[in-house]
Amino acid sequence: MVPGLQVLLFLTLHLLQNTESSMVHLNSNGYEGVVIAINPSVPEDERLIPSIKEMVTQASTYLFEATERRFYFRNVSILVPITWKSKTEYLTPKQESYDQADVIVADPHLQHGDDPYTLQYGQCGDRGQYIHFTPNFLLTDNLGIYGPRGRVFVHEWAHLRWGVFDEYNMDRPFYMSRKNTVEATRCSTDITGTSVVRECQGGSCVSRRCRRDAKTGMQEPKCTFIPNKSQTARGSIMFMQSLDSVVEFCTEKTHNVEAPNLQNKMCNLRSTWDVIKASADFQNASPMTGTEAPPLPTFSLLKSRQRVVCLVLDKSGSIPITRLTLMNQAAELYLIQIIEKESLVGLVTFDSTATIQTNLIRIINDSSYLAISTKLPQYPNGGTSICNGLKKGFEAITSSDQSTSGSEIVLLTDGEDNRISSCFQEVKHSGAIIHTIALGPSAARELETLSDMTGGLRFYANEDVNGLIDAFSGISSKSGSISQQALQLESKAFNVGAGAWINSTVPVDSTVGNDTFFVITWTVRKPEIILQDPKGKNYTTSDFQEDKLNIFSVRLRIPGIAETGTWTYSLLNKGATSQLLTVTVTTRARSPTTLPVIATAHMSQSTAQYPSRMIVYARVSQGFLPVLGANVTAVIEAESGNQVTLELWDNGAGADTLKNDGIYSRYFTDFHGNGRYSLKVNAQARKNMAKLNLKQKNKSLYIPGYVENDQIVLNPPRPEIPEATEATVEDFSRLTSGGSFTVSGAPPDGDHARVFPPSKVTDLEAEFIGDHIHLTWTAPGKVLDKGRAYRYVIRMSGHSLALQEDFSNSTLVNTSGVMPKEAGSKETFKFKPETFKIENGTQVYIAIQADNEARLSSEVSNIAQAVKFIPPQVYLTPSTPPGLSTPSTPPGLT
């Protein structure tokens, strides 16, 4: 897909982890259940585990001091991949897995660059997804660049656990302070240093002092802040934890509210310590008494094993034959197309009693699948006892000489059962992971408890085979080996009239094509099928293999590697009445060394009490590289059958934290009653509009050097990324299930305009052009980020704090001529600040609120700054910074 990138082997985590899946919990000031997982693509290295232990031990002490004796790391599990050699000290994991790890160790997002980072895209105070360290970061001496590894871990842990943000800004490293001085973006301002530009040509580099831009008055591009090695400032860890003196987070007293960083933008100018104090961790932990250091962390070494899955399927009398057919269609597809090769799979069916249909069978070839699929239930009968089904599932696993601990059970039911809680303790003791699929609106309400207590996934499917297939397709391996995982390219349903044709296309991109299946299902009569590959080769109905179970489906496995390009299919309903036809296409990565494009999704919460705000998140990536410009849509279906389609945005506005980070987001407010909702996301790229973002965002600060004894000592320059910051992505299609969520207290009508205000404007920008201030921002909606706001209220002040603390009494800007646009549109507005004397150095701070017709107001926007700068006719050069004896070269540097 991208020249020079396909050959890289960095098979990594691509599942969007729900932060609730983390096993971390706080017990008497100590964090327990922390999981650090090593990717299967990382070669075995005897030095890696000792380095991880040393980092965590060092971090525990630093964290304890930084949080005023509140938190430390009590126990940590290190999960090594199945590809590593076995050792006696390696234990079998229970619910620990790579895709739910708090920290992953994997190769970098590009072939160079080892900056640690945290995947974090929630709101202020929301927990992140995972911390990513590279093997090279853990095994090489980075002390001068990042500081001690333990300190870096604490910096990233604050992102992950408490939802705070960086206090530096690599895109805006300097700003104009209210005192009309150019300052480095930092917290606190007590951190001292100087600014230089480093210029390299060939093998030699020279450094010189920064010049001021004659047009803007700011520092020139590539100007870098160099801190003094010796400091007295104690904060902040979210700016530069590498400094010896830095041992705390910025507090209300030391916080720099002027700095244009993400912490100020996302957290309404609150300090990092203020956000941490509001966390559940802080509220539930008092400082430890005494003066003793906390106990050292303990470590458990775990080794991943072969996947063990048992299907536990309901065949009770509450399931009509049509629904049983849907279940069998989806289960067969899971067995043949989704489950990974070499997995151990068993089958249990249950009604009021349960039966082991097959003990564990190793999935090797077609006969392996058939041995299980031929035992799928044909007729429903009896009552519903979910506990009996689960117990037989455990028995199927243990009778095959496997441990239930760490094994997976896929539990599907449509019936009510008020006795599920009777086996909760046994389920918890088993150590098994229970994935639940609720089929239809009557499925037992306690199902989700089974998933939540065991770290499993939860799904809801209504009366259609697509929902079931999408649910089964979402239950893939948790090992991190993405080349083994099945990917959905298509999942469509068509209501086709008698004698009518339907035609459609699906792209197969060059990152996939191995083990590709086209599956057609029907409800009345098998249709006529014509499938054409990109080179014009036709496959017809006779090429599709009919199912021997008479479950109204046929499938075609494309021999070898599927051709890259657009595939076209046509279906003819040969029946006398209309019927439902579905098309599902699955595939796998083209090769173990090819990184496929992945789309994954989840909701911000798995349960919601109306009117709490929920956010849909989808991540589209190739490896660790975000895919930009994709068309990403979410379909959310309520138990009532009501469907809502949302276009998700990666525009840095509304629910979206960062622009162009490959995370597509949107608020969801269209609730239609209580109960379960399902989430499905489709990501597509057409006409070469999508791009790969080669520039990693939100990474740890790469320290360029230090001023020490009045001399500048520079670190090696950061490895340069490719000249192009984006690369074209060919057309693709991906479909993924985001699981299910439950809602309570919601009205049935879906009218929420009087409940939710417009969303907060988070990307307001201001600039003086002549004597006018030009504003730009992204339009919010009538209801959060949907629809059109009624009006804007814009206010200004000479002080940012006045807008933050007393917006309603700040100077009002006349916006009578502004008509809000549809949510997501780009807004522009210019005005002359009449109450200000416009002269060189004039600073105006501006903020905006949006109102809807119900007189509900958004939160006050981020505060934008406009500075009037009049270029001098003769510009004075700044004084020489320490260590620079000439305008061009620091002493000792060539």
Side-chain angles (χ1 to χ4, degrees), residues 524-543:
V524 180
R525 181 179 177 184
K526 183 167 71 173
E528 187 73 27
I529 306 168
I530 301 175
L531 174 67
Q532 186 177 79
D533 77 8
K535 291 188 175 180
K537 180 179 179 179
N538 283 334
Y539 300 89
T540 60
T541 310
S542 59
D543 296 310

Tab-separated table of all heavy atoms in Angstrom, residues 524-543:
chain	number	residue	atom	x	y	z
A	524	VAL	N	-35.942	-17.389	1.388
A	524	VAL	CA	-36.980	-18.182	0.715
A	524	VAL	C	-36.364	-19.134	-0.306
A	524	VAL	O	-36.520	-20.348	-0.212
A	524	VAL	CB	-38.023	-17.261	0.025
A	524	VAL	CG1	-39.090	-18.107	-0.681
A	524	VAL	CG2	-38.676	-16.326	1.040
A	525	ARG	N	-35.636	-18.585	-1.265
A	525	ARG	CA	-35.115	-19.413	-2.357
A	525	ARG	C	-33.731	-18.913	-2.754
A	525	ARG	O	-33.490	-17.715	-2.777
A	525	ARG	CB	-36.061	-19.351	-3.569
A	525	ARG	CG	-35.619	-20.196	-4.739
A	525	ARG	CD	-36.619	-20.103	-5.896
A	525	ARG	NE	-36.161	-20.863	-7.042
A	525	ARG	CZ	-36.791	-20.901	-8.222
A	525	ARG	NH1	-37.919	-20.213	-8.378
A	525	ARG	NH2	-36.292	-21.612	-9.225
A	526	LYS	N	-32.854	-19.856	-3.056
A	526	LYS	CA	-31.488	-19.490	-3.431
A	526	LYS	C	-31.491	-18.610	-4.679
A	526	LYS	O	-32.133	-18.939	-5.683
A	526	LYS	CB	-30.649	-20.746	-3.692
A	526	LYS	CG	-29.196	-20.431	-4.013
A	526	LYS	CD	-28.308	-21.666	-3.969
A	526	LYS	CE	-28.575	-22.580	-5.131
A	526	LYS	NZ	-27.590	-23.693	-5.165
A	527	PRO	N	-30.773	-17.491	-4.636
A	527	PRO	CA	-30.764	-16.587	-5.794
A	527	PRO	C	-29.753	-17.038	-6.858
A	527	PRO	O	-28.908	-17.900	-6.612
A	527	PRO	CB	-30.331	-15.256	-5.174
A	527	PRO	CG	-29.413	-15.674	-4.054
A	527	PRO	CD	-29.995	-16.950	-3.507
A	528	GLU	N	-29.868	-16.439	-8.002
A	528	GLU	CA	-28.831	-16.575	-9.041
A	528	GLU	C	-27.689	-15.627	-8.668
A	528	GLU	O	-27.931	-14.468	-8.307
A	528	GLU	CB	-29.407	-16.223	-10.407
A	528	GLU	CG	-28.466	-16.482	-11.568
A	528	GLU	CD	-28.314	-17.965	-11.869
A	528	GLU	OE1	-29.258	-18.736	-11.568
A	528	GLU	OE2	-27.261	-18.342	-12.392
A	529	ILE	N	-26.452	-16.104	-8.773
A	529	ILE	CA	-25.307	-15.316	-8.327
A	529	ILE	C	-24.311	-15.149	-9.461
A	529	ILE	O	-23.952	-16.128	-10.136
A	529	ILE	CB	-24.588	-16.008	-7.138
A	529	ILE	CG1	-25.575	-16.302	-6.004
A	529	ILE	CG2	-23.420	-15.151	-6.643
A	529	ILE	CD1	-25.006	-17.234	-4.942
A	530	ILE	N	-23.865	-13.916	-9.666
A	530	ILE	CA	-22.759	-13.637	-10.592
A	530	ILE	C	-21.759	-12.767	-9.847
A	530	ILE	O	-22.105	-11.695	-9.347
A	530	ILE	CB	-23.230	-12.911	-11.866
A	530	ILE	CG1	-24.276	-13.749	-12.614
A	530	ILE	CG2	-22.033	-12.597	-12.772
A	530	ILE	CD1	-24.875	-13.034	-13.812
A	531	LEU	N	-20.526	-13.242	-9.751
A	531	LEU	CA	-19.443	-12.505	-9.090
A	531	LEU	C	-18.305	-12.341	-10.074
A	531	LEU	O	-17.863	-13.324	-10.697
A	531	LEU	CB	-18.961	-13.270	-7.845
A	531	LEU	CG	-17.737	-12.712	-7.126
A	531	LEU	CD1	-18.051	-11.355	-6.496
A	531	LEU	CD2	-17.247	-13.694	-6.053
A	532	GLN	N	-17.825	-11.109	-10.240
A	532	GLN	CA	-16.752	-10.834	-11.203
A	532	GLN	C	-15.572	-10.190	-10.501
A	532	GLN	O	-15.734	-9.231	-9.740
A	532	GLN	CB	-17.253	-9.907	-12.307
A	532	GLN	CG	-16.237	-9.685	-13.434
A	532	GLN	CD	-16.791	-8.824	-14.545
A	532	GLN	OE1	-16.840	-7.604	-14.418
A	532	GLN	NE2	-17.240	-9.450	-15.615
A	533	ASP	N	-14.366	-10.746	-10.748
A	533	ASP	CA	-13.173	-10.167	-10.129
A	533	ASP	C	-12.668	-8.980	-10.952
A	533	ASP	O	-13.178	-8.719	-12.055
A	533	ASP	CB	-12.103	-11.236	-9.889
A	533	ASP	CG	-11.345	-11.647	-11.148
A	533	ASP	OD1	-11.507	-11.017	-12.227
A	533	ASP	OD2	-10.550	-12.611	-11.065
A	534	PRO	N	-11.669	-8.221	-10.454
A	534	PRO	CA	-11.218	-7.010	-11.158
A	534	PRO	C	-10.655	-7.265	-12.552
A	534	PRO	O	-10.596	-6.344	-13.367
A	534	PRO	CB	-10.136	-6.449	-10.227
A	534	PRO	CG	-10.492	-6.968	-8.879
A	534	PRO	CD	-11.051	-8.318	-9.113
A	535	LYS	N	-10.261	-8.509	-12.840
A	535	LYS	CA	-9.727	-8.823	-14.174
A	535	LYS	C	-10.788	-9.398	-15.103
A	535	LYS	O	-10.465	-9.827	-16.214
A	535	LYS	CB	-8.554	-9.784	-14.038
A	535	LYS	CG	-7.326	-9.140	-13.400
A	535	LYS	CD	-6.106	-10.062	-13.468
A	535	LYS	CE	-4.868	-9.343	-12.944
A	535	LYS	NZ	-3.658	-10.216	-12.988
A	536	GLY	N	-12.022	-9.439	-14.653
A	536	GLY	CA	-13.108	-9.873	-15.518
A	536	GLY	C	-13.485	-11.337	-15.392
A	536	GLY	O	-14.388	-11.806	-16.089
A	537	LYS	N	-12.834	-12.089	-14.519
A	537	LYS	CA	-13.180	-13.495	-14.346
A	537	LYS	C	-14.492	-13.604	-13.595
A	537	LYS	O	-14.703	-12.957	-12.578
A	537	LYS	CB	-12.088	-14.232	-13.576
A	537	LYS	CG	-12.389	-15.707	-13.364
A	537	LYS	CD	-11.271	-16.419	-12.608
A	537	LYS	CE	-11.632	-17.886	-12.388
A	537	LYS	NZ	-10.564	-18.632	-11.671
A	538	ASN	N	-15.395	-14.467	-14.103
A	538	ASN	CA	-16.718	-14.617	-13.500
A	538	ASN	C	-16.802	-15.887	-12.659
A	538	ASN	O	-16.270	-16.941	-13.028
A	538	ASN	CB	-17.805	-14.670	-14.578
A	538	ASN	CG	-18.112	-13.295	-15.145
A	538	ASN	OD1	-17.921	-12.284	-14.473
A	538	ASN	ND2	-18.597	-13.259	-16.380
A	539	TYR	N	-17.468	-15.768	-11.534
A	539	TYR	CA	-17.877	-16.906	-10.718
A	539	TYR	C	-19.401	-16.893	-10.696
A	539	TYR	O	-20.018	-15.841	-10.521
A	539	TYR	CB	-17.352	-16.799	-9.293
A	539	TYR	CG	-15.834	-16.743	-9.180
A	539	TYR	CD1	-15.164	-15.530	-9.221
A	539	TYR	CD2	-15.094	-17.907	-9.014
A	539	TYR	CE1	-13.779	-15.469	-9.102
A	539	TYR	CE2	-13.706	-17.865	-8.887
A	539	TYR	CZ	-13.054	-16.640	-8.935
A	539	TYR	OH	-11.687	-16.588	-8.818
A	540	THR	N	-20.012	-18.059	-10.881
A	540	THR	CA	-21.478	-18.126	-10.910
A	540	THR	C	-21.997	-19.009	-9.787
A	540	THR	O	-21.237	-19.547	-8.981
A	540	THR	CB	-21.965	-18.655	-12.269
A	540	THR	OG1	-21.427	-19.968	-12.466
A	540	THR	CG2	-21.501	-17.737	-13.409
A	541	THR	N	-23.306	-19.192	-9.757
A	541	THR	CA	-23.956	-19.910	-8.665
A	541	THR	C	-23.341	-21.287	-8.448
A	541	THR	O	-23.143	-21.722	-7.300
A	541	THR	CB	-25.460	-20.057	-8.955
A	541	THR	OG1	-26.001	-18.786	-9.312
A	541	THR	CG2	-26.191	-20.607	-7.735
A	542	SER	N	-22.992	-21.969	-9.520
A	542	SER	CA	-22.458	-23.329	-9.391
A	542	SER	C	-21.088	-23.357	-8.726
A	542	SER	O	-20.658	-24.412	-8.237
A	542	SER	CB	-22.361	-23.984	-10.784
A	542	SER	OG	-21.505	-23.217	-11.632
A	543	ASP	N	-20.387	-22.220	-8.705
A	543	ASP	CA	-19.071	-22.168	-8.046
A	543	ASP	C	-19.197	-22.023	-6.530
A	543	ASP	O	-18.230	-22.251	-5.806
A	543	ASP	CB	-18.249	-20.995	-8.594
A	543	ASP	CG	-17.918	-21.153	-10.064
A	543	ASP	OD1	-17.416	-22.230	-10.439
A	543	ASP	OD2	-18.176	-20.211	-10.836
